[in-house]
Amino acid sequence: MSDKDLFRQEVRAWLEENCPVSLRTPTPDDELVWGGSQIEFKTQDQRLWFERMRDKGWFCPGWPQEYGGGGLDATQENILEQEIRRLGCRPAQINLGIWMLGPVVLKYGTEAQKQRILAPMTRGEVRWCQGFSEPNAGSDLANIRTTAKEDGDDYIVNGAKIWTSYGNKSDWMYALVRTDNSGSKHHGISLLLIDMHAPGVTVSPIDLISGKSSFCEVHFDEVRVPKNNLIGEPNLGWSLAKQLLQHERAAMSKFGEFSLPTHYDLLALSKAYLSSSPAANNASLKARITAADMEEQAYALTVQRMTEEARSGLDVNGTMSIMKLVHTEQEKIKFELLLDVMGYRGLGWQDDAFSEQELGVTRAWLNSFTQTIAGGSSEIQLNVIAKRVLNLPDASKVEKTQ
Ligand SMILES: Cc1cc2nc3c(=O)[nH]c(=O)nc-3n(C[C@H](O)[C@H](O)[C@H](O)COP(=O)(O)OP(=O)(O)OC[C@H]3O[C@@H](n4cnc5c(N)ncnc54)[C@H](O)[C@@H]3O)c2cc1C
């Protein structure tokens, strides 16, 4: 048996033995386990699964073991992902730090930063939020105005961030701040880590019409941040920000997998609902379902190929924009279809008359719109693809890069 097959056998056996059966199902939104100091487990199985994955180093399977990772090579990591998907295991924890900041610290952090920041991340002890967007800096991200001025061994931060997901539940923020105002807007940006409990940080949740929101506004008033919280070189944070965004897009391009809340089987659900519905004979609906399913399968295969290519050293900058764009737009189509298939059963909000799954699909449908905005809107992904992948000329001559 080849090393690869042997490893697959070991992983499969370990997952079968260690992933509780109750967690081999799609995760309802309110059962996601967010790593961090305020971590909550709804069941003992969730705690067990978290602890087992943590102790195995598989929150970050491809990171070096000296920082708490699993030390797996690219092929092994891929096999692990495949086996987790095959068994339908829920994510043991969700942690934006691991998805976005970690890979940047691994590449640009000092040795001391790697020890200080990565190890607690791999143990799920710290919850991170992303402080990029500002009231006038969303798509035009380089327009940020939050300042960080040097003062001895510290920076003094003033300004505000908006749309900070779960800012009120996070321990730390990775933020873009302006450390120099004298050059072009892309120069003078730095990537700074800010303690959310530092004096001068105020977090205000933003209410939304749905009554439920993870969004926050974060204000900084003379917040003192040690200089050793700066990642990379001062003023040159824009290139780090772009890489971090690509990691965000890479993570978002996999949201349909790994039993995250959006993981609903289009074909299975369509079959179940259409069997007892007058829409069963609707040929055009069936054709749309078949087309969407084929697209989804083609996408899954493409992700697999691109993941391999990225790991073998190919530059995937820009490519992740394609994946993020395609996946989030596909998810929108899929949930539109599911709503068509479910008819009035897809209109539930908070009623006992609807099953958990039906309520989940309705919420996932609403959520699918937000995913085409988060991490850079679909229009911005098209701009990035035009510029960085297709090398088309920038007609507007205006750099809008998020
Ligand atoms: C669910 C969700 C979670 C988020 N979480 C975070 C977070 O944790 N941290 C964070 O920092 N931010 C977060 N954001 C903010 C997100 O990054 C921004 O909403 C996004 O970048 C768009 O910026 P904006 O809202 O300012 O819209 P704008 O930039 O004002 O854009 C408005 C519209 O104009 C279009 N547009 C703008 N410029 C162009 C252009 N050059 N060409 C073509 N069309 C254009 C856009 O596509 C969009 O349709 C989140 C957003 C969502 C929806």
Side-chain angles (χ1 to χ4, degrees):
M1 190 183 280
S2 71
D3 286 354
K4 213 169 138 179
D5 290 340
L6 199 62
F7 181 74
R8 186 181 296 280
Q9 205 177 56
E10 281 168 21
V11 168
R12 192 170 287 186
W14 189 88
L15 290 174
E16 289 280 5
E17 198 179 327
N18 288 286
C19 179
V21 175
S22 69
L23 301 185
R24 301 178 194 181
T25 49
T27 327
D29 206 14
D30 59 353
E31 286 188 27
L32 288 172
V33 175
W34 288 84
S37 62
Q38 301 176 42
I39 192 164
E40 281 176 27
F41 301 103
K42 289 222 160 133
T43 63
Q44 185 58 16
D45 278 353
Q46 284 186 340
R47 179 187 290 278
L48 268 180
W49 181 222
F50 174 93
E51 289 174 352
R52 288 170 177 170
M53 285 292 275
R54 176 197 63 196
D55 296 346
K56 194 86 179 153
W58 282 359
F59 285 154
C60 309
W63 292 10
Q65 282 175 320
E66 69 237 62
Y67 307 127
L72 303 188
D73 65 27
T75 310
Q76 291 172 325
E77 202 180 349
N78 205 10
I79 289 174
L80 174 62
E81 280 183 9
Q82 285 169 2
E83 290 302 316
I84 285 178
R85 205 160 41 232
R86 191 187 65 83
L87 208 59
C89 313
R90 293 186 186 184
Q93 70 148 339
I94 304 287
N95 196 317
L96 300 192
I98 291 175
W99 287 347
M100 302 180 213
L101 176 66
V104 174
V105 173
L106 265 175
K107 196 162 171 192
Y108 298 98
T110 62
E111 188 50 40
Q113 285 174 333
K114 287 181 193 170
Q115 295 288 353
R116 179 163 58 93
I117 297 160
L118 298 180
M121 221 182 246
T122 60
R123 294 193 297 264
E125 291 169 358
V126 178
R127 183 158 176 178
W128 289 88
C129 62
Q130 181 186 38
F132 278 24
S133 304
E134 296 184 9
N136 288 310
S139 302
D140 192 3
L141 182 61
N143 205 30
I144 57 153
R145 294 274 184 270
T146 296
T147 55
K149 294 215 164 81
E150 289 189 54
D151 184 45
D153 289 338
D154 297 332
Y155 285 105
I156 308 289
V157 179
N158 281 289
K161 297 288 173 183
I162 197 163
W163 312 128
T164 314
S165 299
Y166 301 104
N168 52 344
K169 297 189 173 167
S170 296
D171 304 301
W172 281 80
M173 169 188 277
Y174 43 95
L176 292 182
V177 292
R178 189 156 288 289
T179 38
D180 182 18
N181 235 332
S182 61
S184 81
K185 68 180 177 182
H186 294 98
H187 177 80
I189 292 174
S190 299
L191 181 61
L192 196 62
L193 310 183
I194 303 177
D195 181 350
M196 293 298 280
H197 303 295
V201 177
T202 315
V203 184
S204 323
I206 302 172
D207 290 333
L208 291 187
I209 196 165
S210 65
K212 192 177 156 203
S213 160
S214 58
F215 286 138
C216 294
E217 215 173 337
V218 182
H219 287 266
F220 306 103
D221 182 13
E222 298 287 308
V223 178
R224 197 164 270 281
V225 180
K227 276 189 181 160
N228 64 10
N229 285 357
L230 178 86
I231 306 295
E233 296 292 315
N235 301 327
L236 302 181
W238 182 244
S239 73
L240 271 62
K242 283 196 290 187
Q243 291 178 50
L244 195 145
L245 287 171
Q246 290 303 334
H247 291 300
E248 175 174 22
R249 288 160 192 165
M252 289 183 74
S253 69
K254 292 187 180 178
F255 274 6
E257 306 173 44
F258 302 119
S259 300
L260 281 169
T262 55
H263 185 86
Y264 288 99
D265 189 328
L266 175 63
L267 281 193
L269 279 171
S270 302
K271 209 168 155 191
Y273 279 90
L274 287 181
S275 62
S276 57
S277 152
N281 295 323
N282 185 329
S284 108
L285 182 60
K286 283 183 174 169
R288 281 166 59 215
I289 294 169
T290 310
D293 183 62
M294 283 167 68
E295 296 269 355
E296 207 174 285
Q297 293 197 32
Y299 176 82
L301 289 172
T302 313
V303 166
Q304 220 171 308
R305 177 167 62 82
M306 286 189 164
T307 311
E308 303 260 0
E309 283 175 356
R311 284 179 188 147
S312 66
L314 259 181
D315 180 10
V316 292
N317 253 347
T319 311
M320 285 308 153
S321 288
I322 301 179
M323 304 313 281
K324 193 260 175 185
L325 171 76
V326 172
H327 181 64
T328 52
E329 292 294 336
Q330 268 184 1
E331 288 285 289
K332 231 165 58 177
I333 292 170
K334 167 174 155 176
F335 285 105
E336 291 279 350
L337 266 171
L338 279 175
L339 249 63
D340 284 352
V341 162
M342 286 162 62
Y344 76 93
R345 311 261 359 139
L347 296 176
W349 189 242
Q350 260 181 336
D351 203 308
D352 286 347
F354 298 92
S355 71
E356 275 298 317
Q357 179 174 267
E358 286 164 347
L359 295 174
V361 170
T362 311
R363 281 166 205 277
W365 167 67
L366 285 168
N367 195 48
S368 68
F369 290 85
T370 70
Q371 298 308 304
T372 60
I373 301 171
S377 67
S378 289
E379 291 77 15
I380 294 306
Q381 303 311 324
L382 287 170
N383 285 349
V384 172
I385 295 162
K387 276 204 302 193
R388 294 208 211 128
V389 182
L390 302 175
N391 286 322
L392 295 175
D394 183 359
S396 69
K397 297 281 180 220
V398 180
E399 287 244 311
K400 308 251 184 196
T401 326
Q402 194 193 357

